[in-house]
Amino acid sequence: MAVCPHCQEKLRIWNIRAECPHCGANIPNHNWEERLEEDALKREESFYKMHSTLNKLKFSVVGTPLRILRFIFAFLPILGYVVPLGAIKYTTEAGQEFSAGTINAIALFTKDTFKIGDLIGAMTADLSNPNAKLALISALGLAISLLFGVIAFFLIPILGKKPKQPVTMIAHLISLVTYSLFPVFLGKFIAATGAEGNVGWGCYIGIALFAIALILDIIVLTRKLGPLDGKYIPDANKDELQAEYAESIGEPFKAKAANTQEGGER
């Protein structure tokens, strides 16, 4: 049951007038100034939290030259999957031929003689064959490295609120290790089966790019953060209300500049 906000007396269902029947206070307008101030405070709090989140996101991605470099090298290895990673021409014991003058992400999905589904099917058909295991490890290494490379790239902005989390570094480490499996086991497969083919120059570029990305992750992770790094610091000259809210919760803000030329020449 409702009560009057002024006198706390119970209101009956038939008390439909704006004024309280007990004390005469206007119920809708009771303490309207205080409620207006509370709404304004909630609004400034919401804007402050939003700006703080965006500032942390911006800092984690492009906050310093080192972080910009880290973000670039988190993306470059993904592009590396479209360069030549090798070449192969192989005919299975069942007479099925797989041929690609260039092995890369594009060839796996576009070449009629190198369909990814048929390739995996042929490799998993007889896992007791050591040569099939070599090919399977090589292919899985390439696929897993791409998966974790993409994950690492998107983790940089996602973990903006937690810049000291090592998850991105771990993802790049997994990518580097699994990517390195591809040229090693592809070379072993070609040597064991006598297939025509070779490991492409793109593999070594990819390994180097993942290694650089991992090194940059380690450097960023070990660098100490300054007290204001990633913080939202409102400027009283541009947004006085946000500066006042920051002051009220003990957060840093830029004070309003004194008008030293007031009444003077312009």
Side-chain angles (χ1 to χ4, degrees):
M1 186 176 291
V3 296
C4 172
H6 182 259
C7 65
Q8 302 302 313
E9 291 289 338
K10 292 182 180 180
L11 299 175
R12 308 297 178 182
I13 193 170
W14 54 82
N15 297 138
I16 59 175
R17 297 184 63 183
E19 291 78 18
C20 173
H22 305 289
C23 64
N26 189 297
I27 296 172
N29 292 328
H30 180 71
N31 287 342
W32 67 272
E33 291 182 347
E34 292 180 10
R35 287 189 279 120
L36 194 62
E37 289 178 2
E38 289 177 2
D39 290 341
L41 186 65
K42 289 179 181 178
R43 181 196 65 189
E44 295 306 322
E45 181 182 10
S46 298
F47 274 111
Y48 189 87
K49 288 180 179 179
M50 180 190 71
H51 287 305
S52 294
T53 300
L54 292 176
N55 250 55
K56 289 177 181 178
L57 173 62
K58 180 181 177 182
F59 176 77
S60 67
V61 178
V62 295
T64 64
L66 178 63
R67 289 178 180 272
I68 294 172
L69 197 62
R70 190 266 298 262
F71 191 66
I72 292 172
F73 274 93
F75 181 67
L76 286 178
I78 300 173
L79 285 181
Y81 286 85
V82 301
V83 300
L85 303 178
I88 193 168
K89 184 176 182 181
Y90 174 66
T91 304
T92 65
E93 295 179 1
Q96 190 174 9
E97 183 179 285
F98 296 98
S99 175
T102 299
I103 299 175
N104 56 22
I106 297 174
L108 289 175
F109 296 98
T110 58
K111 287 188 176 294
D112 292 335
T113 56
F114 205 70
K115 289 295 184 182
I116 184 65
D118 295 339
L119 180 63
I120 293 175
M123 289 187 297
T124 56
D126 184 13
L127 288 178
S128 61
N129 185 340
N131 294 335
K133 290 180 181 179
L134 293 174
L136 185 61
I137 292 172
S138 180
L140 286 178
L142 194 64
I144 292 172
S145 66
L146 176 59
L147 173 63
F148 278 91
V150 172
I151 290 173
F153 175 74
F154 285 105
L155 279 176
I156 294 175
I158 290 173
L159 295 176
K161 290 185 178 181
K162 300 177 180 178
K164 286 296 183 180
Q165 285 286 342
V167 184
T168 304
M169 180 191 70
I170 294 171
H172 273 143
L173 177 60
I174 294 173
S175 286
L176 176 59
V177 172
T178 52
Y179 189 94
S180 300
L181 294 176
F182 173 73
V184 172
F185 282 88
L186 177 62
K188 288 184 176 182
F189 175 79
I190 292 172
T193 60
E196 297 178 26
N198 62 278
V199 175
W201 54 267
C203 287
Y204 306 107
I205 291 178
I207 291 172
L209 289 175
F210 274 123
I212 293 172
L214 178 61
I215 292 169
L216 290 173
D217 285 336
I218 295 171
I219 296 173
V220 169
L221 191 64
T222 54
R223 282 283 179 91
K224 289 184 178 180
L225 292 175
L228 299 181
D229 285 345
K231 274 190 174 291
Y232 166 52
I233 305 175
D235 190 342
N237 294 290
K238 298 178 181 178
D239 196 336
E240 189 173 352
L241 292 176
Q242 282 287 281
E244 288 178 359
Y245 178 78
E247 184 181 18
S248 70
I249 61 174
E251 292 292 334
F253 66 96
K254 292 181 182 178
K256 202 168 187 178
N259 188 0
T260 56
Q261 295 185 344
E262 189 173 353
E265 294 184 2
R266 294 188 178 181

